[in-house]
Amino acid sequence: GGIWYGTFYGGVSYLSPVAGRFESYSSDNGLHGNVISRFCEDNDGHVWIASDDGGLSCFNQAKRQFVDFPHSDVLSRYNIHALCVDGDYLWIGTYSDGIIQLNVQTGSMRHYNLDSGMPSPSAYALFMDKEKRLWVGTMDAIYRYDSQKDIFVLVMNTNALVIDIDQDANGDIWASTHGNGILCYRPSTHAHWTKSLPCNQVECLYID
């Protein structure tokens, strides 16, 4: 029930709903990196934190401390911009190093890059929809992961960096971009359109 927030070079802070005060974490007390890009929570209640300058961190909320995880040394080397939980799997989007799929229980890891099926070197947004389909936002396009063929399929070119993806009650996929406003894609008909705004630098989406 608390609130996490990330900073630019200041690490992360957590506001407890009980104590009503902030707890601050940085590279000085266990956090990998201080330039924070994403948070996500897995099925065990662990909070995963992505950073530009220190890769991936995992916070155990029960113990109130950062904990080790499989391949933590390797994943601390990446510039990570996107996270998405899918059961035991954590999908990780990086700048210039493709997408990584980590099984947080077994430690198995798969790397998708330009040489192994990922059409773009960078992934800034990852989203799992209600039908358990993974959507990927890159520097200039949106892709969908085909789990049967183990490939990423181009959905639409965006002509702008995709920074966030969400889904509405009708099943439509929405994306916010840096430079092209808000985009919408309808999977049932493959139709898509753009919503221009007074400012087309849109950082995130929230569907009410």
Side-chain angles (χ1 to χ4, degrees):
I3 298 174
W4 288 89
Y5 76 90
T7 70
F8 189 67
Y9 283 107
V12 302
S13 290
Y14 173 75
L15 178 61
S16 168
V18 178
R21 63 175 182 270
F22 286 102
E23 302 170 11
S24 295
Y25 303 96
S26 69
S27 57
D28 293 331
N29 56 359
L31 180 67
H32 295 165
N34 292 318
V35 182
I36 309 304
S37 54
R38 296 281 178 172
F39 296 91
C40 75
E41 185 175 351
D42 66 21
N43 296 331
D44 294 324
H46 296 146
V47 175
W48 296 85
I49 304 171
S51 71
D52 289 18
D53 59 332
L56 189 65
S57 302
C58 181
F59 188 81
N60 185 314
Q61 297 196 86
K63 297 180 179 179
R64 306 306 303 166
Q65 66 183 29
F66 289 96
V67 294
D68 197 18
F69 55 91
H71 306 291
S72 60
D73 55 336
V74 175
L75 292 168
S76 66
R77 305 170 192 167
Y78 291 103
N79 181 336
I80 299 176
H81 281 268
L83 296 173
C84 181
V85 169
D86 177 22
D88 289 340
Y89 293 99
L90 178 66
W91 290 90
I92 303 164
T94 75
Y95 171 73
S96 78
D97 286 299
I99 293 175
I100 298 164
Q101 183 199 58
L102 173 68
N103 187 314
V104 298
Q105 300 297 330
T106 67
S108 65
M109 188 168 67
R110 297 192 63 184
H111 198 165
Y112 298 88
N113 53 29
L114 293 175
D115 297 324
S116 57
M118 180 59 196
S120 173
S122 300
Y124 280 82
L126 294 169
F127 175 72
M128 187 69 64
D129 70 13
K130 301 168 188 174
E131 290 75 34
K132 303 297 288 183
R133 297 173 297 195
L134 180 70
W135 300 81
V136 181
T138 70
M139 297 284 285
D140 56 8
I142 295 174
Y143 295 87
R144 178 179 53 80
Y145 176 64
D146 186 328
S147 59
Q148 299 297 318
K149 298 180 180 179
D150 195 28
I151 59 173
F152 292 86
V153 179
L154 177 65
V155 174
M156 61 183 294
N157 291 307
T158 60
N159 300 314
L161 187 154
V162 179
I163 202 71
D164 196 17
I165 301 174
D166 209 338
Q167 183 180 33
D168 65 21
N170 297 320
D172 293 342
I173 299 297
W174 294 82
S176 62
T177 73
H178 280 188
N180 205 12
I182 297 175
L183 310 177
C184 184
Y185 173 77
R186 182 159 292 165
S188 60
T189 64
H190 305 295
H192 55 84
W193 55 92
T194 302
K195 298 285 186 181
S196 293
L197 302 171
C199 177
N200 284 326
Q201 300 288 113
V202 185
E203 290 292 334
C204 64
L205 293 168
Y206 179 79
I207 295 178
D208 185 1

